[in-house]
Amino acid sequence: MTYEQSLDLAELQADMAFETYLSAFEEGDHPEVIDSLATEALIAQDRCADLRSQDLAH
């Protein structure tokens, strides 16, 4: 997998995780589920940011 493909995948995963979090929040899911989804979204966003910073370091 190329760097660009990895970055695209990380961005897609971050977007999907955030959308899942928003959907659960809007539907009023249990607070523990919402917290878990928020954590997943943050991890995915961090992974994406890490990949971007690796590109800047090169």
Side-chain angles (χ1 to χ4, degrees):
M1 181 178 290
T2 68
Y3 169 77
E4 289 178 11
Q5 290 172 325
S6 295
L7 183 57
D8 288 345
L9 180 59
E11 288 175 345
L12 177 62
Q13 289 172 332
D15 289 345
M16 290 173 55
F18 187 68
E19 289 297 322
T20 302
Y21 161 75
L22 287 179
S23 178
F25 185 79
E26 290 172 356
E27 292 175 8
D29 281 352
H30 193 278
E32 289 179 9
V33 172
I34 292 172
D35 287 345
S36 176
L37 292 172
T39 300
E40 285 183 38
L42 290 173
I43 290 169
Q45 290 171 343
D46 285 346
R47 187 177 328 121
C48 187
D50 287 345
L51 282 172
R52 284 190 184 125
S53 67
Q54 287 176 11
D55 184 45
L56 295 175
H58 288 83

